[in-house]
Amino acid sequence: MADTSGHADTRGSGSTAGPPGGTTAPGPPGNEVAAPRKSSWKYIGPGIVVAATGVGAGDLVATLIAGSNFGYTLLWAAVIGCLVKISLAEAAGRWHLSTGRTLFDGWASLGRWTSWFFVVYVVIWGFVYGAAAMSSSGLPLQALFPDVMDLKWWAILTGLVGLVFVWFNKYAVFEKVMTVLVGVMFVVTVYLAIRVTPNLGEAFAGLLPVLPDEKDSILNTLGLIGGVGGTITLAAYGYWVNAKGWTNTGWMKVMRLDNRVAYITTGIFVIAMLFVGAEILHSSNVAIASGDKGLIQLGDILEDEYGSATAKFFLIGFFATSFTSLIGVWHGVSLMFADFVERLRKDRAASAAQRTNPQNTTSDIPDITTPAPAPASGEEVASGAHEKSWPFRAYLLWLTFPPMILLFEGQPFRLIILYGVLGAAFLPFLALTLVWLLNSSRTPPEWRNGLLSNAMLTIAGLLFVVLCVKQIWDQPWADFF
């Protein structure tokens, strides 16, 4: 079947073909300029995936605690957090569509240091995150079925289910399942927000940018802004855009609508949980633990206040929230790792060609040249080839099996510190490299950053630098050495 870009359709079962009449115009080789598609709700998909993956149990707890401590005062910060993440995800998607190249290929063009940072980050981050995601998904199941088995076995079960699901399904099925789980999250959080009867007058007052009159209120506010909706999953957004079959600028309007839907959805989740924290916890001076166990405590409070049916309904939403983050990372970050390995393979092939033919001459053998490695193409991601590649599956195994050790042995102290530092450093890295890429000749002139995009990305970068410095400063380095 021919697609609307004029190439043979190589997008695999996860693609969504463009509407009739999507003709093409001349453009850079491999990235012909397609006529714009109308932004239509029927194409929405990657935004739902990034919203579901980015909002994990930890984000909901952080928002609950903000509501518990400050009532509705920081509602404006949650809204700004969504706007900041919209700008980051839009920039990542715009890079993929405007250049036809993947984000990792853009990073690699900035120097080898980006590759070193990425590989160290995903190896350490994936090892610790795998255990945290499995544990988070197992907690609500243990609470729903308390006499069946221990938490660690529930955690292992969710990890194995996530592994099998992502291993055997391509993007199209993955997106449908994520959409169903997001529907569950949406119904549960909105129901809870309505059930607690929010004070709408105070809520609207919370949209005014006011800082709480408490110690460290600025850092707490910045932390809430920075914590709304994802870290590395923001970088994965461009890969999901390609996996959907969107590979050129004809999909730009659709991508931007999709991205707005993602963060409006995220905003609804976050605001709903802030309402719950403000009404149930703040008004009665109830404190909950940070981390996933805080949601189990909230389930107990809901049972006391509204009955066991509401508590069980909440635990189902808790599971949907945690499990979407698990399978979202299993899929999205594995796509990025597969792209990293593919770029490495091309670099080595180019180096081997250079050694074989150092004078860069064709001699009497045709087509023996030493060009730079072919850029990693969004078409490759769209074809579904990465999802069946050995690097994709190797990283899936890395996310699943080695972290199980931590479920039994506990988390090693030094590794957790490195995990915290690398995690804090990733968003400044993403924001500032996107500013660099989207203001350079690597991006076609008509798709480079405008004033608003530069302002939002710069603000995001500075915000995350401040949070990164705070995270590094707060680590117990004296115990590390």
Side-chain angles (χ1 to χ4, degrees), residues 42-381:
K42 69 180 179 180
Y43 298 120
I44 298 303
I48 296 296
V49 172
V50 76
T53 307
V55 180
D59 297 286
L60 295 187
V61 173
T63 310
L64 273 172
I65 292 175
S68 170
N69 291 338
F70 308 117
Y72 294 103
T73 305
L74 291 181
L75 182 60
W76 64 272
V79 173
I80 288 179
C82 291
L83 295 176
V84 166
K85 300 298 175 65
I86 283 176
S87 66
L88 283 166
E90 188 276 338
R94 178 155 43 95
W95 166 265
H96 277 250
L97 295 183
S98 66
T99 65
R101 300 163 65 185
T102 63
L103 183 56
F104 186 82
D105 191 66
W107 284 339
S109 73
L110 302 178
R112 289 183 180 273
W113 65 275
T114 58
S115 300
W116 283 109
F117 175 81
F118 176 79
V119 72
V120 171
Y121 173 77
V122 295
V123 168
I124 294 177
W125 180 87
F127 181 59
V128 180
Y129 180 83
M134 288 187 278
S135 180
S136 180
S137 298
L139 265 174
L141 293 176
Q142 186 192 34
L144 284 166
F145 310 103
D147 300 322
V148 176
M149 54 186 171
D150 289 341
L151 172 60
K152 57 181 175 288
W153 298 112
W154 280 117
I156 288 170
L157 178 62
T158 60
L160 292 175
V161 169
L163 170 69
V164 170
F165 171 72
V166 175
W167 188 289
F168 289 105
N169 289 294
K170 294 185 74 174
Y171 176 81
V173 176
F174 166 72
E175 183 190 287
K176 286 181 174 65
V177 170
M178 292 288 273
T179 302
V180 170
L181 291 172
V182 165
V184 173
M185 292 167 60
F186 187 89
V187 170
V188 169
T189 54
V190 171
Y191 167 78
L192 285 177
I194 295 170
R195 192 80 170 82
V196 300
T197 318
N199 186 321
L200 294 180
E202 290 184 13
F204 281 116
L207 293 173
L208 297 173
V210 176
L211 290 174
D213 186 20
E214 298 194 21
K215 182 182 177 183
D216 293 334
S217 62
I218 294 178
L219 289 175
N220 287 329
T221 303
L222 292 178
L224 180 61
I225 293 172
V228 175
T231 51
I232 195 171
T233 54
L234 291 164
Y237 178 64
Y239 289 84
W240 286 322
V241 163
N242 286 158
K244 181 76 170 176
W246 307 347
T247 57
N248 55 45
T249 55
W251 292 102
M252 197 71 76
K253 286 185 178 179
V254 177
M255 182 275 292
R256 285 171 167 162
L257 174 64
D258 179 77
N259 181 43
R260 292 186 198 109
V261 169
Y263 284 96
I264 289 171
T265 306
T266 299
I268 291 171
F269 293 151
V270 170
I271 290 169
M273 293 310 288
L274 192 137
F275 282 7
V276 173
E279 292 297 335
I280 291 185
L281 305 177
H282 181 68
S283 59
S284 54
N285 291 318
V286 175
I288 60 170
S290 60
D292 302 336
K293 291 184 179 178
L295 292 185
I296 297 295
Q297 287 178 266
L298 179 63
D300 295 337
I301 295 168
L302 288 171
E303 184 169 6
D304 292 338
E305 293 278 341
Y306 303 107
S308 62
T310 296
K312 285 182 169 55
F313 190 50
F314 166 72
L315 289 171
I316 292 169
F318 177 7
F319 172 73
T321 300
S322 298
F323 194 64
T324 51
S325 292
L326 186 151
I327 59 175
V329 166
W330 264 228
H331 187 275
V333 184
S334 297
L335 269 182
M336 295 181 70
F337 185 77
D339 187 35
F340 161 74
V341 174
E342 178 66 14
R343 173 74 197 197
L344 191 65
R345 185 189 66 78
K346 289 179 178 178
D347 282 344
R348 288 180 174 175
S351 297
Q354 179 66 41
R355 288 194 298 272
T356 302
N357 188 33
Q359 300 302 318
N360 194 25
T361 60
T362 58
S363 63
D364 51 0
I365 302 175
D367 298 326
I368 303 287
T369 59
T370 56
S377 165
E379 293 282 358
E380 293 178 51
V381 180

